[in-house]
Amino acid sequence: MRALECTPTLPGYALARVVGGTRGGPFTMLRLAHRPPPELPGEGWVRLHPRLAGICGSDLAALHGHASPYLGALASSPFVPGHEVVATVAGEGGRWSAGTRVVVEPLLHCGVRGVLPPCPRCAAGEPQGCESVAGDGLAAGLQSGYCSDTGGGWAGEMVAHQSQLHEVPGSLDDRDAVMVEPLACALHAVLRNEPGPDDLVLVVGAGTLGLLIIAALRHAARPRRVIAVAKHDGQRRLAGRLGADVVCAPDVMLRTVRFETHARLVEGRAVDPFLLGGADLTFECSGSASGLQSAIGCTRAGGTVVMVGMPGRASIDLAPAWHRELNLRGAYGYGIETAGRVAVEPPRRTFAIALEAAQALRPGRLVDDPLPLEDYQRALDRASSAGSRGAVKVAFAPRGDGG
Amino acid sequence: VNRPGTVVEVGRATPPILVHNGDSVVLQRFPVGTRVVYPPDPQTGLRDPDGAIRRALLNPLDSEPLPALLHAGMRLTIAVDDISLPLPPMRWPDVRARVLEAVLDLAADAGVEDVEIIIATSLHRRMTAAEVLHALGRRVFDAFWPDRLYNFDAEDPSALVELGTTEQGEVVEISRRAATSDLLIYVNINLVAMDGGHKSVAVGLGSYRSLRHHHNVHTLRHTRSLMDPPRSALHSSCNRMGRLLESQVKIFKIETTLNNDTFPAALGFLNRRESEWTVKDRAMARVVAQATATMPPAQARAVFQRTRAPYALTGVFAGATEPVHARALESLYSQQAVPVRGQSDVLSVGIPYVGPYNVNSIMNPILVYCMGLGYFFNMYRGIPLVRRGGVLIMTHPCREEFHPVHHPSYIDFYEQVLSQTRDPERMEAEYEERFASDAWYRQLYRRSHAYHGVHPFYMWFWGAHALEHLGDVVVVGGDRGVCERLGFRSATTLDDALEMATQTVGPHPSVTHLHCPPLFVCDVEPGGFETGVP
């Protein structure tokens, strides 16, 4: 089968930071390869034929050498990227019959790995915090798409455990379905940090995650006001359409938040300006150090900053976070939601909520025309410059039948 | 007798006309047939200004002489105009210092000890110590600053007192110190006809609660014009407030008028007509135009902002507010009035480097708007210089530049309000209160040197009449994005601007250019020029 295979090496990593992960000549980390399909790791696993597989910001960070080495230790090489996947079940497997259209919930937690007894986090219903991801049961990998045993969506075939699959209702097309995974991330972040009705929420960054956070806030919560910070015109338009009350560019973010919250703006020599007062709750979706610094500087004392975008190594002044007694929280993946307006007893999986939400939000409108694997260079370039081109999500059609 | 102002029609031999262009000037050729309105020549100043001041204080209008109003044990408050007057700041001695010295001498002679001097900033920024020193002089400054000479604070509730409401429901709330004094003396510089009269105390020492009754869209739309007080709704409102004030507070008014000798000798060409320029004037004009155009904006701004005007005192009037103001207006118009016959399709103005709200500061886009639509458009009595539906052409680079200390709320007004609406009524309804009550703006107004949060709204409202009246506004040399935000169009050259104007007023428009500053006011009568120049 054809697959985009990623083989991280130190020279490749260093070169990727300069020229990108696909332009390193002999040291390039990503290449289109012909390789045998992954073996089924055991019972309960099924073969999938990916129909669409999205390119995520975390994929780009890895390929461009910007991802944290921390994450490198939680992947196994070589791997086939692609964790935002809508696929067709290729053969009978457990309760799944061939031809069923599914989305993959890519977490490789104890249940998927066959680890018994499960780790304490999985046992507590928090599979996103699974402690077995460094190699128990399967090769290391936080998710499908980072594990050498499972493959990923950027290939003609991959394998998944039946518990990872969610059937796609007929009302959702493939583009909507490929957005279910990032939508689940956004819903998870919002449901774990649900704003109150009087809260002013700031969303920093308006790539896929930022836009879906805005949509999730409007779908699953009732904040008083949402301010979105978006770099590009197209992103600003979409942020407004998805429900942001106020949309601004990064260079006026501080003043906009100040204006909206009646905070005090403090400017001084040798210090970036910051607010005293500010947003009640901030979702940092850019994953950049500057985004996180601004988020901290724009959030009121006692407020919460949620890191949704995948951060890496960064130099950040944490004094304001300390002084303001901020809640600085991560929001990773999805799992089982027990709180929030749309979550009802018994607890529901985030993916189930996301599948429902996708029918209302139709996130497929944010997906560009898919590209074949052969065009991976163009696809990755497009994804890297999506915001400035007015695009949001770029996806592969690995078998040429998606879209 | 000084030579009166005049209207000159551009002919084929007319030299290029000097046009102010922010922190620069340009020499501009206008189409044949353009009317250029020039200010009158400066009147000769009073030979003995200090003597004139003293005589005015001893022989006031409708009032006892000032010494008779002063006595030991009394509470005396003197209010003076702030940094917004005169423009540019005048070279030493500032007329305020002269008047204060005379008043304080009389107060000292009478044994008055409880004296406080308030800079009547209203909602303007606080003056710095250096600015106060320049305006009032070392002697006054050293004796009174900062405890008994200070900037007014319209946001200090304990320093305000409500004196009642006018028959039209206008709340009159002013400085408590001024209102509870045995005598309030107000020292004016009447640079333009808008200044002085009852407006001085009602506005200069008034609070936002009080000002909002006349600094609003409705009133300013019915202010036609700001330079014609009898036809100004704003002044009518101030008059009602002032009369209420005078029923409770003893006020002694001192109004002064200046000639229009605006620029010092080195920039003397700016005071003169191009046809009368000497070789040196021509050379200086070219040097200044080229140098300031090529300098970084901040440097060019610094060059101009250092300018001190050689203004001379032409009149000083003291006593009761209304007779004093009437005499001051008479004196002012005798210097500034220029008869003009007929409106034109297009009015051209060059926006100079300084206006009332950017002394030692930056003229930001909202101030450019206010200078054009608020001030220059309003430089008339009778009917506007430009016909209804006509076009205003301003020359200014109109950069997206703001002084972060002086104009913080302007930045947010530009970003948050102008990005949503340019409709003054909507601004007033949806945004004004929010800016006026913003704690951060309030803090910066009170403790730093920021204009009040509501001030940019007043700038916009100042142009409310022009906004209704004009068909279009084109800015020559204006930044395209900024002009778009302001609701204007930008043009690269005057020719382009005139071409664009034809889309609104039709072909062969009649054009009037105001050669201003030096400041003047046009007495416009109907007839004579409306048909345009073929």
Side-chain angles (χ1 to χ4, degrees):
Chain A
M1 67 167 195
R2 282 173 315 152
L4 288 169
E5 189 176 79
C6 185
T7 312
T9 60
L10 272 179
Y13 184 82
L15 206 57
R17 292 180 71 88
V18 182
V19 298
T22 57
R23 292 192 172 89
F27 299 109
T28 193
M29 293 201 292
L30 186 77
R31 50 170 54 91
L32 185 62
H34 285 270
R35 53 177 276 172
E39 298 291 327
L40 290 172
E43 278 195 20
W45 286 78
V46 292
R47 292 197 176 280
L48 301 176
H49 288 166
R51 297 166 64 84
L52 289 182
I55 301 174
C56 172
S58 60
D59 298 323
L60 293 172
L63 293 172
H64 291 147
H66 298 302
S68 164
Y70 170 91
L71 297 166
L74 298 177
S76 46
S77 175
F79 63 85
V80 176
H83 58 275
E84 299 172 351
V85 185
V86 53
T88 308
V89 176
E92 301 296 323
R95 64 187 175 93
W96 298 101
S97 53
T100 308
R101 210 159 50 107
V102 293
V103 287
V104 178
E105 182 177 344
L107 292 184
L108 297 176
H109 51 80
C110 291
V112 174
R113 291 172 175 272
V115 175
L116 285 173
C119 73
R121 298 314 305 151
C122 286
E126 299 279 341
Q128 72 279 15
C130 175
E131 296 166 7
S132 301
V133 291
D136 295 331
L138 291 172
L142 283 172
Q143 301 182 346
S144 308
Y146 294 102
C147 173
S148 57
D149 285 347
T150 62
W154 297 6
E157 194 169 321
M158 66 182 286
V159 297
H161 190 265
Q162 58 182 352
S163 66
Q164 288 182 281
L165 306 183
H166 299 262
E167 184 170 357
V168 178
S171 57
L172 290 184
D173 64 21
D174 284 347
R175 295 192 193 200
D176 290 324
V178 80
M179 293 293 278
V180 167
E181 194 274 349
L183 180 58
C185 288
L187 283 162
H188 176 71
V190 168
L191 293 172
R192 290 291 167 104
N193 302 280
E194 192 180 16
D198 295 328
D199 283 350
L200 184 140
V201 179
L202 173 64
V203 181
V204 180
T208 305
L209 262 183
L211 293 171
L212 291 177
I213 285 280
I214 295 165
L217 281 165
R218 287 302 175 210
H219 182 77
R222 287 286 180 274
R224 177 173 62 85
R225 210 157 165 79
V226 175
I227 303 175
V229 183
K231 197 170 174 182
H232 303 288
D233 282 347
Q235 293 175 331
R236 287 195 277 276
R237 276 194 295 276
L238 283 170
R241 271 187 226 150
L242 289 169
D245 299 293
V246 179
V247 184
C248 68
D251 59 339
V252 293
M253 163 184 170
L254 208 66
R255 282 200 161 266
T256 304
V257 177
R258 195 220 69 75
F259 177 73
E260 290 290 329
T261 59
H262 297 282
R264 284 165 168 76
L265 175 65
V266 181
E267 296 172 292
R269 286 183 187 157
V271 63
D272 290 333
F274 58 86
L275 299 183
L276 289 176
D280 300 293
L281 170 63
T282 299
F283 291 94
E284 203 302 300
C285 304
S286 74
S288 69
S290 61
L292 184 55
Q293 188 75 70
S294 304
I296 290 171
C298 283
T299 306
R300 67 161 170 82
T304 299
V305 175
V306 185
M307 293 178 286
V308 188
M310 189 183 78
R313 281 186 173 170
S315 171
I316 292 171
D317 183 355
L318 288 172
W322 163 77
H323 165 238
R324 295 159 193 226
E325 300 186 331
L326 288 184
N327 301 298
L328 196 56
R329 305 188 61 186
Y332 163 66
Y334 15 77
I336 298 166
E337 307 303 337
T338 55
R341 195 174 63 83
V342 297
V344 291
E345 294 295 334
R348 299 181 66 196
R349 288 171 74 171
T350 328
F351 256 68
I353 299 168
L355 276 162
E356 271 178 21
Q359 295 179 67
L361 298 171
R362 309 306 302 202
R365 57 190 157 145
L366 303 178
V367 181
D368 249 14
D369 288 342
L371 292 166
L373 292 178
E374 290 78 4
D375 270 352
Y376 70 96
Q377 185 69 67
R378 193 150 63 102
L380 293 170
D381 286 346
R382 271 195 194 181
S384 298
S385 60
S388 59
R389 292 188 312 104
V392 179
K393 175 60 72 183
V394 178
F396 289 112
R399 299 174 69 89
D401 55 356
Chain B
V1 177
N2 66 317
R3 185 171 58 166
T6 190
V7 179
V8 173
E9 192 167 302
V10 171
R12 295 193 192 286
T14 304
I17 306 296
L18 185 133
V19 177
H20 288 270
N21 181 30
D23 300 315
S24 184
V25 293
V26 290
L27 291 166
Q28 181 70 62
R29 284 204 178 275
F30 280 81
V32 169
T34 298
R35 299 189 300 186
V36 181
V37 188
Y38 284 97
D41 286 353
Q43 293 175 342
T44 306
L46 298 173
R47 203 170 302 157
D48 175 15
D50 293 325
I53 290 166
R54 197 166 174 82
R55 281 193 297 280
L57 301 181
L58 299 178
N59 304 284
L61 303 166
D62 289 0
S63 167
E64 293 174 88
L66 183 58
L69 301 174
L70 301 169
H71 56 85
M74 76 179 298
R75 190 172 158 91
L76 173 64
T77 299
I78 308 169
V80 296
D81 280 338
D82 73 349
I83 191 77
S84 60
L85 291 163
L87 297 172
M90 67 188 293
R91 73 184 175 197
W92 179 255
D94 188 289
V95 69
R96 281 167 290 211
R98 287 183 186 275
V99 174
L100 269 184
E101 295 262 355
V103 169
L104 290 170
D105 280 349
L106 292 176
D109 291 347
V112 182
E113 288 182 353
D114 183 359
V115 181
E116 290 190 10
I117 305 168
I118 305 177
I119 315 285
T121 49
S122 185
L123 305 184
H124 297 171
R125 70 173 174 89
R126 297 188 314 133
M127 286 174 75
T128 64
E131 289 166 343
V132 175
L133 173 62
H134 176 80
L136 304 189
R138 171 65 65 188
R139 197 174 140 206
V140 172
F141 185 84
D142 285 348
F144 289 89
W145 181 269
D147 299 329
R148 295 189 300 145
L149 163 60
Y150 49 86
N151 291 289
F152 172 59
D153 182 353
E155 285 290 346
D156 177 2
S158 67
L160 297 171
V161 63
E162 184 182 328
L163 296 179
T165 51
T166 68
E167 64 274 19
Q168 295 207 12
E170 297 145 321
V171 176
V172 179
E173 184 179 58
I174 68 158
S175 154
R176 179 182 292 276
R177 165 73 200 193
T180 56
S181 289
D182 298 304
L183 180 65
L184 169 63
I185 300 176
Y186 196 107
V187 183
N188 272 117
I189 297 177
N190 298 48
L191 185 71
V192 291
M194 186 186 83
D195 305 325
H198 286 297
K199 179 172 167 286
S200 305
V201 179
V203 174
L205 297 176
S207 68
Y208 169 66
R209 276 183 75 214
S210 210
L211 262 63
R212 64 189 308 179
H213 291 288
H214 38 69
H215 280 53
N216 58 53
V217 181
H218 177 81
T219 302
L220 284 155
R221 277 189 179 150
H222 293 85
T223 294
R224 301 184 175 188
S225 71
L226 280 163
M227 302 304 159
D228 193 357
R231 300 194 62 216
S232 159
L234 178 131
H235 287 85
S236 300
S237 174
C238 290
N239 290 346
R240 289 189 291 274
M241 290 186 172
R243 284 169 197 145
L244 187 146
L245 271 165
E246 280 192 328
S247 70
Q248 300 181 42
V249 184
K250 174 71 181 166
I251 298 174
F252 188 85
K253 199 76 192 302
I254 305 168
E255 299 200 0
T256 62
T257 54
L258 306 172
N259 66 6
N260 64 359
D261 191 6
T262 307
F263 296 100
L267 296 174
F269 65 93
L270 294 172
N271 288 329
R272 291 190 278 276
R273 301 175 192 179
E274 295 79 2
S275 58
E276 297 170 356
W277 277 357
T278 61
V279 173
K280 188 181 160 199
D281 284 337
R282 276 198 290 275
M284 275 303 290
R286 290 197 183 283
V287 167
V288 170
Q290 283 176 10
T292 50
T294 49
M295 280 178 192
Q299 220 172 321
R301 187 179 309 129
V303 168
F304 275 109
Q305 290 278 358
R306 277 199 291 271
T307 300
R308 294 288 175 262
Y311 288 129
L313 186 67
T314 55
V316 52
F317 312 94
T321 301
E322 292 184 15
V324 162
H325 189 50
R327 290 289 303 280
L329 278 176
E330 201 179 297
S331 171
L332 184 115
Y333 287 132
S334 76
Q335 167 66 88
Q336 292 191 359
V338 180
V340 177
R341 193 158 180 81
Q343 297 177 304
S344 59
D345 300 312
V346 174
L347 176 64
S348 158
V349 294
I351 306 297
Y353 69 94
V354 72
Y357 317 111
N358 77 311
V359 177
N360 302 325
S361 189
I362 294 171
M363 186 174 290
N364 63 51
I366 293 143
L367 292 177
V368 172
Y369 158 96
C370 180
M371 285 294 284
L373 279 74
Y375 284 106
F376 285 116
F377 173 86
N378 273 293
M379 285 297 194
Y380 73 87
R381 287 194 294 180
I383 54 175
L385 273 158
V386 57
R387 71 165 168 84
R388 189 166 186 83
V391 175
L392 177 68
I393 294 179
M394 300 195 285
T395 298
H396 194 276
C398 224
R399 297 188 193 96
E400 194 178 313
E401 271 188 303
F402 294 85
H403 195 294
V405 173
H406 295 162
H407 302 123
S409 68
Y410 280 68
I411 301 173
D412 294 337
F413 179 87
Y414 183 81
E415 290 293 342
Q416 311 293 339
V417 180
L418 277 182
S419 61
Q420 302 301 313
T421 183
R422 301 183 199 105
D423 173 10
E425 280 182 333
R426 198 181 144 199
M427 288 176 181
E428 191 173 51
E430 292 181 23
Y431 294 95
E432 181 187 322
E433 187 66 38
R434 190 162 163 194
F435 275 69
S437 61
D438 188 293
W440 183 60
Y441 300 147
R442 186 181 294 135
Q443 180 201 358
L444 295 178
Y445 162 79
R446 298 191 64 193
R447 305 281 175 242
S448 178
H449 294 278
Y451 282 81
H452 193 275
V454 80
H455 205 259
F457 288 81
Y458 292 169
M459 297 300 93
W460 204 261
F461 301 166
W462 233 235
H465 172 208
L467 274 180
E468 266 194 344
H469 183 89
L470 295 169
D472 198 4
V473 179
V474 185
V475 185
V476 178
D479 178 280
R480 198 166 292 274
V482 173
C483 290
E484 199 176 312
R485 179 68 63 92
L486 295 172
F488 302 160
R489 293 196 288 166
S490 71
T492 310
T493 64
L494 177 67
D495 286 345
D496 288 352
L498 289 168
E499 182 68 33
M500 289 158 80
T502 61
Q503 295 164 5
T504 306
V505 296
H508 311 303
S510 55
V511 181
T512 299
H513 175 72
L514 281 187
H515 199 279
C516 186
L519 295 171
F520 57 90
V521 60
C522 297
D523 285 336
V524 187
E525 288 185 3
F529 196 66
E530 290 87 344
T531 52
V533 179

